[in-house]
Amino acid sequence: MNDGRPDPERLLLRAEAEEAEERKKLRGRLTIFFGAAPGVGKTYAMLQEASFERDVEDRDVVVGVVETHGRFETTTLLAGFERLPRREVEYRGTTLDEFDLDAALARKPSLLLVDELAHTNAEGSRHPKRWQDVEELLEAGIDVMTTLNVQHVESLNDLVARVTGVVVRETVPDSVIDSADEIKLIDLPPEELLERLREGKVYVPAQAERAMENFFRKGNLIALRELALRTTAERVDADMQAWRRAQGIEKTWGISERILVCISPSPHSAPLLRAGRRIAARLHADWFAVNVETPATQSLPATERARLSAHLRLAESLGAATVTLSGQRAAEELLKFAREHGVTKIVVGKQRVLRWRDRLRTSFVDELILGSGDIDVYVTAGEQEDAEPKERPAARLAPAPGSGALREYAMGAAVVAATTLVAYAVFGRDPLADVVMTYLLGIVLVSMRFRFRVALASAVLSVLAFDVFFIPPYLTFSVADLRHVVTFAVMLLVAVVIAGLTQRVKDQAQFAKTSERRTAVLYALSRDLGESIDEGNQARIACRHLEDVFDATVAVFTRSATGDTELLQASAGLSAPLDKEVGVVRWVANQAKDAGIGTDNVPGAQGLYVPLAAASGEVLGVLGLYPKNPERLSDPEQRRLVQSLALQIASAMERARLAGEAQRARVRMETEQLRSSLLSSVSHDLRTPLAVMKGAASSIVDDDAALPPETRRDLAQTLLEETERLERLVANLLDMTRLESGAVRVEKEWQSVEEIVGGALARTERQLARHPVEVSVPPDLLLPCDGVLVEQALVNLLENAAKHTPEGTAVEISAARAEHDVTLCVADRGPGLAPGEERQVFEKFHRGPSEQATPGFGLGLAICRAIALAHGGRIHARNRSEGGAAFELTLPVEGEPPSAPPPEIPDKSGSVEAG
């Protein structure tokens, strides 16, 4: 029912489109001149378009690399452009001219021309492929025009090979083409292209003749032209659909299609991925490439794991979302994933060979079809990759046994022989049931120790041994009683079932062990990282854990204040590779992409570099791994573990940075509170003495002649008192500011406590004039401290006591030495502290209910606490049982006091010298 409210799905799609449009504004614009074959005029059309942009649109246009192939028209048109110098690369004794990516980034024109997008760069370049150079240019905000032929599109690679018989090695991922802002089709009928070929406008005559006999046959050109037209039409249709969604026009389909392609280590997965990409493109659908790890696939050979990793990278280059699932049964996990993600079509490879296991149970394809429900299942066959060696799918089931395999088979045979001897010695030849059970026990032992193939061979060998030694006629394979054939069959079947179940239990145990190890690694790293909020310590923790897991040396890089990358923490012995690969680290941090071993970005690097990307998308740093065995990082399982650990490290670093920002925010908040409190206090406590001083001064000035001497003296005394009061207020403000900013340095020297107390009493003589003072300080008590600061603290405590106690009450000052500290105490006989005020009195600007009419900022006791903390001591307040409050300042005693100077002995001449 339509209630007039907007469709949430449509609003979400529109929001996503607007967000994508905003991101594209920061990225350069990519224009691809697309053609069916070389010679159709792509480069010429690109130069014409660039001339228009330069002359009419007044844009800064630079040629990065353009291949004219000796064509006169193209060379003439190229002459008017600024061109970047080529980069010379030495390769196998030959000097090659390559596109200079760094020069282009430094020049940073508005529009750059980069011909032949599918070109393979010379070894030693930053990227293996030119399309990767273009990606970096676009990320830098540079518009790029380039050219591409249809045979270089990755998803069409096998179709082109099937039509033309030529396997094209240089391909461009479909994701790059899909991200292009504009695709311009440069079309030319096959007859005209062949005519240009004959005229030498494409290749030199000898090369043109060979091309016309092979690739440039008319039928091939017609098929390539159709592919180019279809690809362009699909792109135009996709643009139309995007425009309809942006305008709020109803979609053609009620539910968007989603495709799932099942992949495995099989060499047929590569063409299956391309087929899935074509289906997804025609249906304008998102698609997934999914691999399922089961207990049976945990022990794949290194070659097959490497092939699976290559398939996953191919799927990513084709634009698929790659997913690896784990479970007991592959079909169940795939169907569960498909339903959770709204998959409408599953593409799976056709089974080429019927294995014996499929005769006994439902095959993988049949399980998918039976459990798919309303999901369509496409069972298709892919052509064998020409680049792959021809191998039979069943070859992996029976590899050539090496020395280890032969030893296992020999051990299995030995167990069968031992079982035969035990059965013959214990049971003889009559109780056949006991003999059969003994053989089954031997098969269980073999299954527990060795692989399924060895257990299967032992089962067959057990049946043969049972026939030879226990079934008459003995020592022959003949069977006198045909009923024993049934016994053989049942025995073999039971043995096979036992071996299969035992192998399944072993596989599940290994699978659980692997999962547990992965979980334990993630948990241990997460636990240790969670205990620290310091980036340096987190980097050390990460290096320690990853060194143990991957048997590699590890480095963690972070961004410096200037935005560049710098080494934060590393294992020992990494200076050499780090010095050589600083550029790779910087590129990974800027591009947020993996690079190094096992990747398509700088594959010749000595390590694997993974960006530490936070949840916000910001790259906080780079993780570098330098394994002792580089092939280990080609394993998909290891790569996924690296990604998981990098995510954990990035999350921890982000948490540390957020904690730092929270701390800085708290400091700013406290600063604002301090400023607010300061202003509110200043507004009253500074204006009051200023008003009194102004009134007294104006009275003296205006009525000087009429004022009697007593009145003039009183006014002058008022001026003096208020000036001193104002001076104390300002001094307290300045002292508090200096102490909190760290501008005050504590200079500790051995001081006499008696002298410090005497100085404080001298400074507070007027304030304590109406209070009797009792002093109890040992005359020989020494304290290592900053005498000026400690005296100021005592002055503040004495002023506080005089201010808040009735006249005539005593103020007591005492000092006592403990084992490691000295405590100075100022006690009074006043009203004491309110409940709960023992800690609050030392807060800045705190004033109790009874102090509202008392002048002051409430900073005196806060200054005392700051002085105590600066000395490494403490201060606290308490109420006295006999009435009043006591403030105790405790300061640490470090070291031994200096010894007393030696007595002075007068010499005969009357001078004094040391004895």
Side-chain angles (χ1 to χ4, degrees):
M1 178 177 177
N2 187 3
D3 55 3
R5 292 180 297 178
D7 183 8
E9 291 291 337
R10 183 180 300 170
L11 292 177
L12 180 60
L13 290 173
R14 183 179 299 179
E16 290 177 350
E18 292 175 355
E19 183 180 357
E21 193 65 29
E22 289 297 323
R23 288 197 302 267
K24 290 185 69 174
K25 289 180 180 179
L26 303 176
R27 177 182 166 95
R29 180 179 176 84
L30 176 62
T31 303
I32 298 178
F33 290 82
F34 192 62
V40 296
K42 302 180 299 299
T43 303
Y44 188 82
M46 179 179 68
L47 291 172
Q48 283 186 318
E49 182 72 17
S51 299
F52 177 83
E53 296 284 339
R54 180 194 58 191
D55 300 335
V56 179
E57 301 294 335
D58 194 24
R59 296 188 64 185
D60 179 20
V61 181
V62 175
V63 172
V65 55
V66 166
E67 303 294 346
T68 63
H69 297 290
R71 298 162 191 160
F72 176 76
E73 298 88 347
T74 305
T75 304
T76 303
L77 194 57
L78 180 64
F81 287 93
E82 175 188 348
R83 283 179 278 184
L84 291 177
R86 298 283 189 93
R87 179 172 58 91
E88 294 186 353
V89 179
E90 294 291 334
Y91 181 70
R92 295 182 179 179
T94 305
T95 301
L96 302 177
D97 291 334
E98 287 288 349
F99 169 59
D100 194 337
L101 176 59
D102 291 327
L105 292 171
R107 175 62 174 79
K108 199 173 184 180
S110 173
L111 175 62
L112 188 69
L113 308 185
V114 182
D115 204 4
E116 298 184 359
L117 185 62
H119 173 76
T120 299
N121 293 330
E123 186 175 343
S125 301
R126 183 183 307 172
H127 302 298
K129 300 290 185 178
R130 183 169 290 171
W131 62 263
Q132 295 172 312
D133 295 340
V134 170
E135 282 289 303
E136 188 166 346
L137 293 169
L138 296 173
E139 292 294 334
I142 302 174
D143 293 350
V144 177
M145 285 185 178
T146 187
T147 62
L148 183 69
N149 290 325
V150 68
Q151 66 264 28
H152 297 296
V153 179
E154 178 62 51
S155 63
L156 302 177
N157 184 262
D158 56 340
L159 280 179
V160 173
R162 193 180 309 166
V163 170
T164 63
V166 178
V167 178
V168 179
R169 304 296 181 186
E170 295 181 327
T171 58
V172 176
D174 291 66
S175 56
V176 177
I177 303 170
D178 293 341
S179 65
D181 297 272
E182 186 176 5
I183 295 180
K184 296 189 175 185
L185 177 65
I186 310 302
D187 186 37
L188 195 66
E191 292 81 3
E192 293 187 22
L193 179 56
L194 291 172
E195 184 62 29
R196 286 174 53 84
L197 197 64
R198 297 187 189 95
E199 294 175 355
K201 295 182 178 180
V202 180
Y203 299 122
V204 295
Q207 189 177 2
E209 290 181 5
R210 290 194 300 270
M212 292 175 65
E213 294 175 358
N214 297 288
F215 188 82
F216 279 82
R217 291 198 298 265
K218 185 173 181 179
N220 291 351
L221 295 178
I222 294 174
L224 293 173
R225 188 186 187 197
E226 180 182 2
L227 281 176
L229 291 171
R230 285 183 180 274
T231 303
T232 309
E234 290 173 359
R235 172 55 187 259
V236 172
D237 188 59
D239 291 341
M240 175 59 70
Q241 295 295 336
W243 183 84
R244 288 163 65 93
R245 288 193 296 267
Q247 298 300 319
I249 302 173
E250 291 187 3
K251 296 179 290 185
T252 304
W253 301 280
I255 301 177
S256 59
E257 297 277 2
R258 291 194 175 186
I259 314 299
L260 186 152
V261 179
C262 307
I263 62 174
S264 69
S266 168
H268 304 294
S269 290
L272 191 66
L273 285 169
R274 296 190 179 99
R277 157 65 191 178
R278 291 194 295 271
I279 294 174
R282 288 165 186 160
L283 296 178
H284 312 287
D286 297 330
W287 67 296
F288 303 92
V290 182
N291 170 60
V292 181
E293 286 188 348
T294 63
T297 62
Q298 287 294 308
S299 57
L300 287 175
T303 55
E304 296 200 2
R305 299 190 73 85
R307 187 186 297 140
L308 177 60
S309 178
H311 291 162
L312 291 173
R313 291 197 298 270
L314 174 62
E316 291 176 352
S317 68
L318 291 173
T322 58
V323 180
T324 299
L325 305 176
S326 298
Q328 300 296 327
R329 300 185 67 84
E332 292 179 1
E333 294 298 327
L334 280 170
L335 291 172
K336 180 181 177 181
F337 176 85
R339 292 190 176 94
E340 289 178 351
H341 292 79
V343 171
T344 58
K345 291 176 173 55
I346 297 177
V347 180
V348 62
K350 183 184 294 183
Q351 192 168 348
R352 298 169 181 267
V353 176
L354 187 64
R355 298 171 297 184
W356 66 268
R357 281 178 287 181
D358 297 326
R359 300 180 186 273
L360 302 177
R361 64 183 184 184
T362 307
S363 67
F364 168 73
V365 175
D366 291 336
E367 286 185 18
L368 276 181
I369 295 174
L370 292 174
S372 60
D374 55 354
I375 301 175
D376 296 334
V377 179
Y378 289 80
V379 182
T380 181
E383 294 297 324
Q384 178 70 28
E385 294 278 294
D386 290 346
E388 296 281 354
K390 298 291 183 181
E391 62 174 302
R392 298 192 314 159
R396 190 169 59 93
L397 296 177
S403 59
L406 289 175
R407 186 164 49 250
E408 290 182 2
Y409 284 109
M411 291 294 293
V415 172
V416 174
T419 304
T420 303
L421 293 175
V422 171
Y424 188 80
V426 176
F427 304 109
R429 290 174 171 171
D430 290 334
L432 296 181
D434 295 334
V435 174
V436 170
M437 296 304 295
T438 304
Y439 275 115
L440 292 179
L441 176 60
I443 294 171
V444 170
L445 295 176
V446 174
S447 301
M448 292 175 61
R449 180 65 178 84
F450 303 112
R451 295 175 296 172
F452 175 76
R453 301 188 189 104
V454 179
L456 184 61
S458 298
V460 174
L461 190 59
S462 297
V463 173
L464 295 177
F466 177 65
D467 179 23
V468 170
F469 295 103
F470 295 94
I471 302 299
Y474 303 115
L475 302 179
T476 67
F477 291 106
S478 301
V479 180
D481 191 347
L482 295 180
R483 288 179 300 175
H484 292 305
V485 175
V486 178
T487 304
F488 297 156
V490 173
M491 179 179 174
L492 180 61
L493 179 61
V494 172
V496 170
V497 171
I498 291 175
L501 292 176
T502 306
Q503 183 64 39
R504 178 177 296 182
V505 171
K506 289 169 57 180
D507 290 341
Q508 291 177 353
Q510 181 64 29
F511 183 74
K513 183 178 179 181
T514 302
S515 300
E516 180 185 5
R517 183 166 58 248
R518 183 191 312 163
T519 304
V521 169
L522 292 173
Y523 170 75
L525 179 62
S526 177
R527 179 197 60 204
D528 292 348
L529 289 176
E531 296 175 353
S532 174
I533 58 172
D534 176 69
E535 281 193 4
N537 190 37
Q538 289 174 344
R540 285 190 291 273
I541 293 171
C543 289
R544 186 178 70 250
H545 280 275
L546 270 66
E547 286 172 10
D548 297 338
V549 173
F550 298 103
D551 191 22
T553 47
V554 185
V556 177
F557 305 85
T558 186
R559 289 185 180 273
S560 63
T562 60
D564 204 351
T565 54
E566 60 182 8
L567 180 63
L568 179 62
Q569 183 67 35
S571 305
L574 281 184
S575 58
L578 293 184
D579 292 342
K580 295 178 181 178
E581 303 194 1
V582 172
V584 184
V585 176
R586 187 182 300 115
W587 184 87
V588 171
N590 294 334
Q591 302 297 323
K593 296 179 181 179
D594 296 356
I597 298 173
T599 69
D600 292 330
N601 301 313
V602 201
Q606 298 184 20
L608 171 64
Y609 299 93
V610 180
L612 298 175
S616 60
E618 179 187 2
V619 177
L620 304 179
V622 176
L623 175 65
L625 283 86
Y626 306 87
K628 296 180 181 178
N629 180 14
E631 295 182 358
R632 182 173 181 178
L633 293 181
S634 298
D635 188 344
E637 171 65 21
Q638 295 294 314
R639 292 290 300 278
R640 285 194 299 274
L641 184 57
V642 171
Q643 296 289 346
S644 300
L645 295 175
L647 181 61
Q648 290 279 355
I649 298 169
S651 299
M653 294 177 65
E654 184 180 32
R655 185 179 67 253
R657 295 195 178 189
L658 291 176
E661 292 179 3
Q663 174 66 18
R664 290 190 291 272
R666 187 178 66 82
V667 172
R668 288 194 298 270
M669 181 181 67
E670 291 181 353
T671 302
E672 291 298 325
Q673 291 177 347
L674 174 63
R675 183 181 294 111
S676 177
S677 301
L678 179 61
L679 290 176
S680 63
S681 298
V682 167
S683 62
H684 177 270
D685 292 313
L686 285 184
R687 285 193 302 176
T688 299
L690 287 175
V692 174
M693 293 167 62
K694 180 179 179 182
S698 61
S699 297
I700 294 175
V701 172
D702 295 339
D703 303 324
D704 182 52
L707 288 175
E710 295 81 4
T711 303
R712 186 180 297 107
R713 188 179 302 105
D714 291 340
L715 291 174
Q717 183 67 29
T718 301
L719 273 173
L720 177 61
E721 291 177 354
E722 294 300 326
T723 301
E724 292 177 349
R725 174 185 167 191
L726 184 61
E727 182 183 14
R728 288 196 302 274
L729 293 175
V730 174
N732 281 341
L733 282 174
L734 293 176
D735 289 344
M736 193 73 243
T737 303
R738 292 166 59 214
L739 286 169
E740 289 201 335
S741 65
V744 175
R745 297 183 60 185
V746 177
E747 301 289 346
K748 290 186 178 182
E749 294 181 357
W750 287 94
Q751 306 280 348
S752 171
V753 175
E754 187 177 31
E755 293 181 1
I756 294 175
V757 172
L761 290 173
R763 291 173 57 184
T764 56
E765 182 178 0
R766 188 172 60 82
Q767 288 86 349
L768 297 173
R770 296 186 174 91
H771 294 272
V773 179
E774 300 176 4
V775 180
S776 176
V777 178
D780 58 345
L781 181 60
L782 299 178
L783 174 66
C785 65
D786 190 317
V788 176
L789 293 180
V790 175
E791 181 179 314
Q792 180 63 48
L794 287 176
V795 168
N796 290 352
L797 292 176
L798 291 171
E799 289 182 346
N800 182 73
K803 187 186 300 182
H804 299 102
T805 56
E807 293 183 6
T809 58
V811 175
E812 303 171 8
I813 305 176
S814 62
R817 169 72 187 267
E819 184 178 358
H820 299 295
D821 52 46
V822 170
T823 299
L824 301 173
C825 178
V826 176
D828 59 54
R829 298 285 183 176
L833 300 170
E837 268 198 309
E838 289 84 353
R839 291 180 176 272
Q840 296 179 5
V841 291
F842 296 105
E843 298 293 332
K844 294 188 292 289
F845 307 110
H846 174 77
R847 306 179 71 185
S850 61
E851 298 182 65
Q852 300 304 319
T854 305
F857 287 163
L859 289 178
L861 296 180
I863 292 174
C864 293
R865 184 180 67 172
I867 292 174
L869 294 177
H871 281 78
R874 61 188 184 277
I875 187 172
H876 71 278
R878 58 180 175 84
N879 285 320
R880 306 173 66 189
S881 58
E882 62 270 24
F887 294 83
E888 295 180 348
L889 173 64
T890 302
L891 301 178
V893 175
E894 300 171 351
E896 296 294 331
S899 57
E904 297 179 345
I905 303 175
D907 58 9
K908 296 180 180 180
S909 62
S911 61
V912 178
E913 63 179 8

